[in-house]
Amino acid sequence: MISSSASGLLQQMRERLEQLPDAQRRVVQYVLQDPREAVAATVEHLAQQAGVSMPTIVRTCRSFGHDSVREFMLALAQDLAVSGSYIHRSVLAEDAVQDVASKIVHAAVSSLADLGRRMDVDMIDRVATQLAQARRIDCYSVGAASTFMANELQSRLFRLGRTANAIFDAHQQLVSASTLGPGGVAFVISHVGRMPYTIEAARFARSQGATVVALTQPGTPLAEAADLLLAVSVPQDAVMRVGTEAYLAHLVIIEILTVRLAQKLGPVATRGLQQFKQLLHKHGFDSVGYEGVLDQAPGMEQDD
């Protein structure tokens, strides 16, 4: 057994990987794919993900000089604090391109799997019911990431026949909040959840009788200002305030929510979606039919 004081635990695991028995190698490979997730995982979760028994987890920790899993994880957390990367939470500066791709994909998949385990499906159902009954739905956002999400949500609601707007201007959000009233929904999207003027608009909309739905992290000021909270928790990104994993998590929540809404709206929504798809297929800018129209237009030259 080698004491982790000789060198960093992460470095030890990389150096000894090929020398370990098969089962222990699987454990170490899993830990190296996303060390920060491993630190927070239970022994049962580690064993399940690595495809080994729980005693194998203990033996692996002991093979690196630690008497318990807790001691091993503490050493791993300390090593991460010292050697943490500002490139990506799972990627080290010396990683090869194959490792970069593997770690980022694994981190995204792991984050979505964790989202699925934590998801409050009853809350999603309540929000879908509220959207189905709403007279008007105004989607508030701030910043590039949240505005992208608000536009995506508005587009999906629009296709389902809901009266919906996407608003990112601070003054327009206040105007919206003053006119929604009972029967209206202010759907506020902000992963950070701390922008003062958007929170002010949410609170004002609520004071006017509208229902406020927030898609944000739990425990934020926005979460506290909402009637209904769609909570999204993902690991913090090393570079951006809202990283790729947060993007994916928000999109997945929006997808689930709008599919559930379509179920509640029934055949009318299904027929509308089918008609909309057929319309775009026939007349959309990227359709074969539209290219034919361009070919017939006077003065249009054909590209080689």
Side-chain angles (χ1 to χ4, degrees):
M1 295 190 295
I2 301 175
S3 172
S4 63
S5 60
S7 61
L9 182 54
L10 286 167
Q11 185 63 29
Q12 281 190 54
M13 286 191 287
R14 285 191 288 268
E15 291 175 351
R16 295 184 54 206
L17 181 62
E18 299 304 321
Q19 305 167 13
L20 295 170
D22 289 343
Q24 292 187 28
R25 187 186 306 124
R26 291 201 297 273
V27 175
V28 172
Q29 286 173 331
Y30 177 76
V31 172
L32 289 175
Q33 282 180 332
D34 194 342
R36 284 177 172 80
E37 182 195 354
V39 166
T42 63
V43 176
E44 292 83 356
H45 181 71
L46 286 172
Q48 182 181 21
Q49 294 300 312
V52 301
S53 65
M54 287 189 285
T56 298
I57 302 294
V58 177
R59 284 194 291 271
T60 303
C61 296
R62 288 176 177 171
S63 73
F64 286 91
H66 300 283
D67 293 332
S68 67
V69 176
R70 183 179 181 277
E71 184 180 311
F72 177 90
M73 292 305 174
L74 179 60
L76 180 58
Q78 291 172 339
D79 198 19
L80 285 170
V82 174
S83 62
S85 170
Y86 290 97
I87 302 171
H88 184 273
R89 69 184 180 89
S90 304
V91 177
L92 301 176
E94 64 271 19
D95 281 341
V97 63
Q98 183 177 354
D99 295 326
V100 171
S102 176
K103 287 183 176 183
I104 290 177
V105 169
H106 174 80
V109 171
S110 176
S111 181
L112 289 180
D114 187 61
L115 176 70
R117 289 190 293 268
R118 297 170 180 264
M119 192 177 298
D120 187 344
V121 292
D122 292 333
M123 177 58 71
I124 290 177
D125 197 54
R126 289 177 61 189
V127 173
T129 299
Q130 197 71 40
L131 297 181
Q133 299 171 349
R135 174 181 52 84
R136 191 179 94 212
I137 307 162
D138 286 353
C139 308
Y140 302 165
S141 63
V142 57
S146 297
T147 297
F148 172 82
M149 298 301 165
N151 282 324
E152 178 66 19
L153 176 60
Q154 186 273 337
S155 176
R156 289 171 181 254
L157 292 171
F158 193 65
R159 294 183 188 192
L160 290 171
R162 301 282 79 200
T163 301
N165 305 289
I167 306 171
F168 61 88
D169 179 80
H171 294 99
Q172 291 298 319
Q173 287 178 4
L174 285 174
V175 172
S176 162
S178 68
T179 59
L180 275 173
V185 171
F187 198 118
V188 191
I189 302 176
S190 173
H191 186 64
V192 177
R194 299 182 182 280
M195 184 58 71
Y197 72 74
T198 301
I199 296 171
E200 181 183 7
R203 289 171 176 162
F204 190 67
R206 191 175 182 181
S207 72
Q208 299 302 300
T211 299
V212 175
V213 178
L215 179 56
T216 186
Q217 298 177 91
T220 63
L222 175 58
E224 296 171 0
D227 296 294
L228 302 172
L229 171 63
L230 296 171
V232 174
S233 297
V234 296
Q236 186 175 1
D237 192 271
V239 179
M240 299 177 288
R241 298 186 78 189
V242 184
T244 301
E245 291 169 34
Y247 266 93
L248 294 174
H250 280 72
L251 283 173
V252 167
I253 292 291
I254 289 173
E255 173 87 4
I256 295 170
L257 178 62
T258 51
V259 169
R260 183 58 177 156
L261 173 59
Q263 288 180 320
K264 290 181 178 292
L265 294 174
V268 174
T270 303
R271 286 195 298 270
L273 289 173
Q274 291 173 341
Q275 291 172 356
F276 187 77
K277 185 175 182 179
Q278 291 170 0
L279 180 67
L280 288 181
H281 181 72
K282 185 176 181 180
H283 300 286
F285 291 151
D286 56 351
S287 68
V288 176
Y290 190 82
E291 291 174 359
V293 171
L294 289 179
D295 292 341
Q296 297 172 11
M300 295 296 292
E301 295 183 358
Q302 195 75 8
D303 289 336
D304 291 334

